[in-house]
């Protein structure tokens, strides 16, 4: 069983069957040791037919990279459910060291941004990498490369500031909503505290109300409470995520805009040789998938272990497949003709 899994994972990551190189096998062995890989589990028939429409990005890897030859790949990654598995306690959603190493490796060769619903500080604390860009609050809090481009949202939110020390720019299109967000947080915490298992997470420019650990009988009451608070704040709305209600200011800015913003600041928005790869698992990632689809070039990849309605073109079953994909992507780039890193090519420090 072990040997078969190793062979399967090696194949997924593009290693030769006959490879006995200990170093190459190491990450594979540790993946298997740390978590049960989806590759060892049979996939249900519905999933298999869904895969026809959304082929596995590992199986399609060679074909995808053939089309990517000569293009500038830019990598966008969601955090929860993509880089880290979904767990009951949001504070414990750590990513593995293997995943961190894979993201670090990818970011050596391609500009890489993490776009999360979490606060930017929180996701940075989880990821702990200095060679990636971060966007928190579903893209409403972006720390981007230092390009002098000002992107406006409805011509209203030109809030770029220069962080001289880090030499990066901060873009926060929902800054004016901060006082209201603080008020909503306080009220929600008071109300929600009474419901067992519910919790409120401060994501800076948005708020998450978690109900993963709330009994089914209390979920309706929780929803009513959240709605009753929002009645007093018409400039906010809520959306559903994975066992979470996400309260956000109603501005026209989402993960899709964040992708466009990063491409702009990287000076790539008008290039036709740019190929964004976006990997995400949740509804909010669909906005980014749509942007990539609209551009007509790039790979929107959904992480899902069950069939779901999505704008993504490719799929990965779970974070362990994300890990295999990232390792393979870095390995593909490393072995292609030029071994210059993204930092060398783009003139940035990694
Ligand atoms: O955009 P993301 O990085 O995917 O963030 C979306 C939400 O993710 C987190 O919640 C989800 O993951 C938790 C940990 O696995 C899980 O307990 C929860 O049920 C999921 O909804 C995060 O806590 C939220 O604030 C994010 O909005």
């Amino acid at each position: 069983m072990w040997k078969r899994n190793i062979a399967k994972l090696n194949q997924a990551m593009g290693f030769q069957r006959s490879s006995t190189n200990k170093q190459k096998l190491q990450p594979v062995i540790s993946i298997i040791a740390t978590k049960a890989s989806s590759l060892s589990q049979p996939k249900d028939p519905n999933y298999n037919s869904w895969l026809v429409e959304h082929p596995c990005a590992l199986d399609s890897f060679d074909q995808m990279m053939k089309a990517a030859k000569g293009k500038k790949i830019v990598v966008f990654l969601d955090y929860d459910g993509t880089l880290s598995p979904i767990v009951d306690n949001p504070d414990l959603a750590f990513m593995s060291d293997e995943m961190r190493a894979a993201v670090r490796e990818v970011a050596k060769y391609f500009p890489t941004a993490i776009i999360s619903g979490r606060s930017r500080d929180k996701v940075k604390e989880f990821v702990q990498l200095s060679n990636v860009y971060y966007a928190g609050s579903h893209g409403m809090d972006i720390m981007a490369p230092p390009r002098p481009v000002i992107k406006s949202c409805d011509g209203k939110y030109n809030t770029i500031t220069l962080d001289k020390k880090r030499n990066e720019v901060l873009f926060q299109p929902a800054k004016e909503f901060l006082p209201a967000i603080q008020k909503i947080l306080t009220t929600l915490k008071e109300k929600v505290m009474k419901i067992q298992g519910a919790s409120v997470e401060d994501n800076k420019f948005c708020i998450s109300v978690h109900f993963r650990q709330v009994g089914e009988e209390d979920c309706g009451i929780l929803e009513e409470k959240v709605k009753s608070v929002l009645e007093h704040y018409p400039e906010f709305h809520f959306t559903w995520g994975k066992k979470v209600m996400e309260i956000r200011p109603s501005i026209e800015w989402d993960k899709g805009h964040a992708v466009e913003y990063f491409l702009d600041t990287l000076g790539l928005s008008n290039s036709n040789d740019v190929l964004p790869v976006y990997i995400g698992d949740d509804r909010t990632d669909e906005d980014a998938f749509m942007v990539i689809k609209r551009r007509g070039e790039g790979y929107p990849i959904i992480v899902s272990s069950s069939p779901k309605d999505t704008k993504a073109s490719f799929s990965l079953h779970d974070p362990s497949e994300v890990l295999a994909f990232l390792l393979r992507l870095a390995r593909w780039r490393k072995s292609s003709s030029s071994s210059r890193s993204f930092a060398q090519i783009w003139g940035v420090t990694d």
Side-chain angles (χ1 to χ4, degrees), residues 87-329:
V87 292
D88 284 348
N89 183 345
D91 291 335
L92 303 180
F94 304 113
M95 74 195 263
S96 67
D97 289 341
E98 286 92 351
M99 186 67 94
R100 183 167 299 105
V103 177
R104 183 189 288 118
E105 197 63 11
V106 162
K108 267 192 205 166
Y109 298 105
F110 313 102
T112 301
I114 317 275
I115 306 183
S116 171
R118 303 263 191 172
S119 74
R120 184 166 47 80
D121 286 347
K122 185 76 188 176
V123 75
K124 208 169 163 190
E125 196 182 303
F126 276 137
V127 176
Q128 292 172 28
L129 288 174
S130 57
N131 66 342
V132 300
Y133 302 116
Y134 293 92
S137 314
H138 294 296
M140 287 181 283
D141 189 5
I142 303 180
M143 189 68 102
R147 286 268 176 151
V149 174
I150 296 179
K151 175 91 180 177
S152 73
C153 168
D154 293 344
K156 206 174 156 196
Y157 305 106
N158 293 328
T159 51
I160 287 185
T161 50
L162 244 186
D163 180 339
K164 290 204 177 86
K165 210 171 82 213
R166 290 189 50 87
N167 202 25
E168 285 170 322
V169 287
L170 189 60
F171 181 63
Q172 298 178 325
K175 218 170 177 173
E176 65 183 89
F177 294 92
L178 275 178
I181 292 171
Q182 284 310 309
K183 282 188 195 154
I184 298 175
L185 257 175
T186 312
T187 320
L188 273 177
K189 278 183 181 162
E190 274 165 22
K191 294 214 171 197
V192 159
M193 241 175 57
K194 293 171 194 146
I195 297 178
Q196 205 184 342
S199 65
V200 179
E201 187 180 359
D202 178 358
N203 288 336
K204 189 152 184 169
F205 294 104
C206 50
I207 299 166
S208 289
V209 179
H210 292 279
F211 57 93
R212 188 167 292 279
Q213 301 191 76
V214 173
E216 234 172 80
E217 65 287 358
D218 287 336
C219 285
I221 308 167
L222 180 66
E223 184 183 339
E224 272 169 33
K225 283 187 188 282
V226 171
K227 282 183 174 164
S228 74
V229 175
L230 282 193
E231 267 170 22
H232 303 281
Y233 298 90
E235 68 279 30
F236 286 80
H237 68 284
F238 86 81
T239 52
W240 296 97
K242 289 187 168 171
K243 306 263 178 198
V244 70
M245 283 176 251
E246 296 179 308
I247 292 137
R248 311 158 63 157
S250 304
I251 61 166
E252 216 188 294
W253 196 269
D254 53 39
K255 288 188 174 187
H257 292 93
V259 166
E260 287 176 324
Y261 183 88
F262 274 117
L263 292 176
D264 259 7
T265 53
L266 286 162
L268 299 172
S269 56
N270 295 318
S271 325
N272 48 16
D273 62 347
V274 175
L275 201 131
V277 174
Y278 188 106
I279 312 181
D281 74 315
D282 213 346
R283 286 190 201 169
T284 57
D285 299 307
E286 292 292 330
D287 297 319
F289 296 158
M290 266 187 301
V291 162
I292 296 179
K293 277 256 165 116
R294 215 172 41 227
R295 287 178 60 88
E297 191 105 61
Y299 298 134
I301 305 174
I302 186 154
V303 183
S304 182
S305 56
S306 58
K308 66 163 71 153
D309 216 13
T310 178
K311 293 275 182 280
S313 309
F314 294 93
S315 68
L316 289 166
H317 189 266
D318 54 33
S320 72
E321 286 200 357
V322 174
L323 172 60
F325 181 85
L326 294 177
L327 288 172
R328 194 156 167 192
L329 184 63

